[in-house]
Amino acid sequence: MEQQRKPIGIGTLALLVLTMGFAFNFPWGKEQFQVSHYLFDYLNWPIYTNGSQGVHLTFVAAIVFWVATVIIARKFHMNYGAKLAYRIGSFMLIFSMSIFPLYGVIWLIFGR
């Protein structure tokens, strides 16, 4: 019996979107260049909610990549790499969404 491979298709793009999400906030090179910081500076948006501290807004912007990954991978689950992208994207989405209530609790306890 010969095992069939999953076809490369739109679901495979979920891996690309997932990689783009990680690359969005990852510092690159000796200069520690970050695409997210460059984009926010270009659009004249703050990177943190309270000047130089607070919620890291580029982390919030990366949620767009995790949502897109989960949607694409779930819809086209029969394509190569979609299952892996769905699992990692779901984990990152849940982690990203759960960090904000935790941040609020820590701020209430220690921030005052």
Side-chain angles (χ1 to χ4, degrees), residues 2 4-5 10 16 18 31-32 41 46 49 56 59 63 71 87 95 109-110:
E2 192 173 314
Q4 290 186 344
R5 292 184 175 180
I10 296 176
L16 178 64
L18 182 71
E31 300 84 24
Q32 298 297 308
D41 285 341
T49 54
H56 195 236
F59 183 74
I63 292 175
I71 290 171
R87 287 183 178 173
F95 176 73
I109 293 172
F110 299 110

Side-chain angles (χ1 to χ4, degrees), residues 17-83:
V17 174
L18 182 71
T19 305
M20 288 171 45
F22 284 118
F24 188 67
N25 281 327
F26 187 78
W28 297 94
K30 294 177 185 175
E31 300 84 24
Q32 298 297 308
F33 173 76
Q34 289 180 314
V35 175
S36 59
H37 287 211
Y38 177 77
L39 180 66
F40 273 57
D41 285 341
Y42 181 76
L43 296 173
N44 205 17
W45 292 350
I47 294 172
Y48 294 97
T49 54
N50 295 331
S52 63
Q53 62 182 13
V55 176
H56 195 236
L57 294 176
T58 58
F59 183 74
V60 177
I63 292 175
V64 173
F65 291 103
W66 313 142
V67 170
T69 297
V70 169
I71 290 171
I72 293 169
R74 185 168 180 157
K75 187 170 183 176
F76 300 99
H77 60 88
M78 295 304 293
N79 294 132
Y80 178 78
K83 189 175 186 180

